[in-house]
């Protein structure tokens, strides 16, 4: 996850370069473009935490990239590679991502520079709570200000600690639950958040695979079934992505973790691999699969779709030419450097960019935030009403046709929506609609040669208009 890669081009520079590539296709003045690009607020803190008998000074960040819409939104990661530039780049990506999927937030991101494997649960809790109180002190967290979420190295557990710390420091805030998303259900989380990013990745790639002319160019058939897929990283995003592809009939030919990769032309079962990983501590030596000791080489194996879902800058100018996939789905943030991006585009590989593809997490986080502000579970008001209406409809159909529907049909038709149904359907609609918006720009705007540029144009257009309408202080 280093902010510089084999080419020494920083992740932040990559993001800025991609922005500029797209900016020239938009109609905005330089001033508006510079404002869109700029990181609005940057918080860097150092705080002491007692670890065992020692006092450790922890370095942490929160970047609010854009205030054109509030709150700011973006995950918090725990990693030794965290630095200001990395957090700035990730926060910027969040701004563009939210605009692309029509989520009314500005971008933000946070990071704590630690190796979370080095600490006990209790120590991690102390670090997370202290970080949250720093955010509170500096007004960098709150339902209408800045709303963190899980990211690399964090999960619903850390989000609970953040919520509890925020709520105890803000006892009168009736909307305190909306200060963070990705929470467990019992703490105000929304059903479907855990799998949201992976499911969004699946919906996005499925949509891309549904266009006959695009698939013909790649020499692939339409649809997901039968496609040979490699996934890098079996964490939250990678696991769920792999699972949905497998369920849709794709063949998982390769899986990659930090300590090795496995490959099997006949297809791997992701749950069996996860069980093997839990038992042995890694994915290597999975029965029937070939071991690839160097995980980086896993990316270079033969497949139709390669899905990096772990870290940034894993495909760079030195390995891009060896990528054999016909499509690359960026589930992770920034897995390609901009140089690698150019190489893959020249090779005719269809790259589906992170700023669109992994937006499922923030989309469902938006649903969670809305749920917290409305203080009511999705489906609670309409489920029974819908079921009663469907019931009446079936009765009318049966009495006018003189025919009876089967018990199974009745059960299927009579089901009103639960929270999970509404969340999944809202996510599916978002991913399909946004892909079509981006593809429209890609296919209709002269000179636009890749989906990433099209996605950036889409984001800049929306944010630019927002700044224009807000007006700039004289
Ligand atoms: P995670 O911590 O749950 O999982 C990361 C996985 O990658 C782990 O299994 C880890 O062992 C593995 N890994 C680490 N180094 C690796 C290497 N060199 N090769 C292969 N695998 C390696 O993190 P996550 O939440 O799944 O996030 C993964 C990526 O997706 C990050 O780039 C993150 O920013 C991005 N993302 C996450 C979300 C979300 O909702 N969690 C949303 C949008 C984007």
């Amino acid at each position: 996850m280093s902010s510089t890669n084999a080419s020494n081009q920083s992740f932040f520079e990559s993001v800025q370069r991609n922005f500029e590539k797209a900016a020239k296709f938009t109609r905005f003045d330089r001033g508006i473009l510079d404002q869109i690009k700029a990181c609005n607020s940057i918080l860097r803190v150092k705080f002491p935490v007692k670890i065992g008998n020692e006092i450790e000074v922890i370095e942490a960040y929160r970047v609010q990239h854009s205030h054109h819409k509030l709150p700011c939104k973006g995950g918090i990661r725990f990693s030794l590679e965290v630095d200001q530039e990395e957090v700035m780049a990730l926060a910027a990506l969040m701004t563009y991502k939210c605009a692309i999927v029509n989520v009314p937030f500005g971008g933000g991101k946070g990071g704590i520079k630690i190796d979370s494997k080095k600490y006990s649960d209790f120590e991690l809790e102390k670090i997370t709570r202290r970080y949250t109180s720093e955010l509170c002190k500096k007004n960098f967290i709150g339902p209408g200000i800045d709303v963190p979420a899980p990211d690399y190295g964090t999960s619903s557990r850390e989000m609970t600690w953040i919520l509890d710390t925020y709520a105890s420091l803000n006892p009168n805030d009736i909307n305190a639950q909306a200060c963070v998303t990705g929470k467990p259900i019992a703490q105000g989380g929304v059903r479907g958040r855990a799998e949201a990013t992976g499911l969004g990745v699946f919906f996005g790639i499925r949509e891309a695979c549904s266009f006959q002319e695009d698939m013909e160019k790649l020499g692939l058939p339409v649809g997901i079934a039968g496609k040979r897929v490699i996934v890098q990283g079996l964490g939250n995003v990678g696991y769920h992505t792999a699972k949905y592809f497998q369920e849709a009939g794709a063949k998982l030919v390769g899986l990659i973790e930090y300590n090795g990769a496995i490959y099997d032309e006949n297809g791997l079962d992701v749950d069996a691999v996860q069980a093997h990983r839990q038992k042995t501590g890694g994915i290597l030596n999975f029965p029937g699969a070939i071991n690839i000791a160097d995980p980086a080489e896993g990316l270079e194996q033969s497949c139709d779709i390669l899905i990096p879902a772990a870290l940034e800058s894993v495909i760079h100018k030195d390995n891009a030419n060896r990528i054999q996939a016909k499509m690359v789905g960026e589930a992770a943030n920034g897995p390609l450097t901009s140089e690698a991006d150019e190489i893959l585009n020249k090779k005719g590989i269809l790259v589906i960019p992170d700023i669109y593809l992994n937006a499922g997490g923030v989309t469902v986080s938006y649903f969670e935030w809305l749920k917290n502000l409305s203080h009511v579970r999705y489906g609670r008001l309409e489920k029974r009403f819908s079921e009663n209406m469907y019931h009446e409809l079936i009765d009318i159909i049966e009495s006018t046709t003189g025919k009876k529907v089967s018990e199974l049909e009745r059960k299927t038709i009579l089901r009103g929506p639960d929270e999970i149904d509404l969340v999944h359907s809202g996510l599916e609609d978002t991913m399909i609609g946004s892909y079509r918006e981006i593809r429209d720009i890609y296919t209709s705007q002269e000179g636009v040669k890749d989906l990433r540029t099209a996605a950036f144009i889409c984001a800049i257009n929306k944010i630019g208009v927002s700044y224009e309408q807000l007006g700039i202080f004289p």
Side-chain angles (χ1 to χ4, degrees):
M1 189 186 320
S2 75
S3 55
T4 51
N5 50 65
S7 70
N8 284 328
Q9 181 187 40
S10 85
F11 180 27
F12 188 64
E13 280 163 10
S14 271
V15 174
Q16 299 294 57
R17 205 162 124 176
N18 287 327
F19 179 96
E20 288 301 337
K21 213 168 134 190
K24 58 177 188 275
F25 292 102
T26 70
R27 63 171 177 80
F28 297 103
D29 291 346
R30 189 69 245 171
I32 294 273
L33 292 171
D34 285 346
Q35 177 55 45
I36 298 173
K37 253 169 87 176
C39 276
N40 291 177
S41 307
I42 299 171
L43 174 69
R44 174 173 173 267
V45 283
K46 291 206 173 197
F47 50 82
V49 178
K50 190 123 191 254
I51 304 293
N53 291 324
E54 312 268 308
I55 290 173
E56 234 179 80
V57 179
I58 307 282
E59 183 179 327
Y61 299 87
R62 183 75 191 171
V63 171
Q64 298 176 345
H65 173 260
S66 179
H67 292 152
H68 78 288
K69 289 202 187 326
L70 286 172
C72 292
K73 190 87 192 75
I76 289 182
R77 59 171 54 181
F78 287 179
S79 156
L80 269 182
E81 308 294 334
V82 161
D83 62 27
Q84 186 172 317
E85 281 228 333
E86 182 189 77
V87 186
M88 284 165 69
L90 290 162
L93 287 179
M94 284 305 296
T95 297
Y96 310 134
K97 196 177 294 184
C98 289
I100 287 166
V101 289
N102 301 309
V103 165
F105 295 146
K109 202 80 180 190
I112 306 186
K113 195 179 179 70
I114 52 166
D115 173 4
S116 51
K117 294 189 188 83
K118 239 184 66 188
Y119 300 95
S120 67
D121 289 354
F122 177 59
E123 288 161 351
L124 284 173
E125 181 173 349
K126 277 205 286 190
I127 294 169
T128 309
R129 285 183 180 276
R130 178 63 200 250
Y131 173 71
T132 311
S133 61
E134 293 293 329
L135 297 183
C136 288
K137 275 199 278 185
K138 308 285 172 11
N139 211 18
F140 263 72
I141 186 170
I145 299 170
D146 191 346
V147 180
D151 192 67
Y152 186 89
T154 56
S155 66
S156 57
R157 178 182 72 164
E158 286 75 15
M159 303 308 114
T160 307
W161 296 333
I162 291 174
L163 167 59
D164 190 53
T165 311
Y166 175 85
S168 36
L169 293 172
N170 296 274
N172 292 324
D173 188 347
I174 191 177
N175 292 318
Q177 273 194 333
C179 80
V180 64
T181 60
K183 305 177 291 288
I185 307 296
Q187 301 299 329
V190 74
R191 286 162 187 82
R193 175 61 184 89
E195 68 272 30
T197 306
L199 181 57
V201 169
F202 169 73
F203 285 145
I205 298 179
R206 187 189 66 182
E207 188 57 19
C209 290
S210 72
F211 289 90
Q212 178 121 26
E213 52 177 299
D214 299 354
M215 289 301 104
E216 266 170 17
K217 271 193 215 149
L218 300 174
L220 291 172
V222 165
I224 292 293
K227 290 233 161 46
R228 297 153 60 246
V229 178
I230 294 180
V231 178
Q232 180 197 36
L234 282 178
N236 175 290
V237 179
Y239 166 76
H240 288 109
T241 301
K243 180 95 178 144
Y244 285 110
F245 269 92
Q246 185 175 317
E247 281 173 8
K251 217 190 254 184
L252 293 175
V253 290
L255 294 171
I256 310 169
E257 257 298 324
Y258 69 95
N259 47 4
I262 51 173
Y263 191 87
D264 186 349
E265 264 300 340
N266 298 318
L268 297 154
D269 178 276
V270 67
D271 283 322
V273 173
Q274 282 291 64
H276 171 81
R277 183 182 173 197
Q278 276 199 333
K279 210 165 89 189
T280 65
I283 61 173
L284 289 175
N285 303 317
F286 183 73
I290 299 165
N291 281 338
I292 301 165
D294 177 4
E297 277 179 29
L299 299 164
E300 299 166 15
Q301 306 304 309
S302 166
C303 65
D304 298 322
I305 309 175
L306 173 63
I307 306 177
L311 317 164
E312 56 258 25
S313 305
V314 292
I315 304 177
H316 40 79
K317 71 174 176 31
D318 299 328
N319 65 357
N321 266 314
R322 295 196 294 271
I323 299 298
Q324 298 191 51
K326 295 183 175 149
M327 297 172 73
V328 172
E330 292 187 319
N333 283 312
L336 269 63
T337 65
S338 53
E339 288 151 323
D341 200 24
E342 271 164 33
I343 295 172
L344 297 193
N345 286 330
K346 277 200 192 113
K347 278 168 63 125
I349 295 172
L350 183 68
V351 177
I352 309 180
D354 49 4
I355 46 168
Y356 156 70
L357 194 64
N358 66 29
V362 74
T363 302
V364 174
S365 277
Y366 169 48
F367 300 159
E368 180 175 336
W369 180 78
L370 290 173
K371 173 186 181 182
N372 296 149
L373 294 181
S374 65
H375 299 261
V376 65
R377 165 175 58 79
Y378 287 107
R380 178 162 178 185
L381 299 184
E382 65 269 43
K383 181 178 165 70
R384 183 64 54 155
F385 177 79
S386 302
E387 288 178 357
N388 291 341
M389 290 300 286
Y390 301 149
H391 199 80
E392 281 188 31
L393 205 63
I394 293 179
D395 285 351
I396 294 168
I397 292 169
E398 284 184 340
S399 66
T400 48
T401 61
K403 289 183 183 158
K404 288 259 171 222
V405 299
S406 73
E407 265 318 298
L408 185 66
E409 284 165 340
R410 179 174 281 272
K411 226 172 131 186
T412 314
I413 299 167
L414 276 189
R415 206 169 69 85
D418 283 317
E419 182 164 272
I420 188 88
D421 304 314
L422 294 167
V423 165
H424 282 180
S425 108
L427 175 61
E428 184 172 13
D429 187 55
T430 301
M431 295 307 293
I432 291 174
S434 299
Y435 187 80
R436 290 181 188 173
E437 272 184 53
I438 296 166
R439 188 178 176 277
D440 272 354
I441 296 173
Y442 173 51
T443 53
S444 67
Q445 196 156 346
E446 216 182 295
V448 176
K449 295 203 173 68
D450 55 277
L451 286 170
R452 187 186 318 278
T453 306
F456 267 92
I457 294 171
C458 177
I460 295 170
N461 283 340
K462 292 178 190 173
I463 304 164
V465 167
S466 184
Y467 272 117
E468 277 180 345
Q469 288 168 352
L470 282 172
I472 310 285
F473 281 118

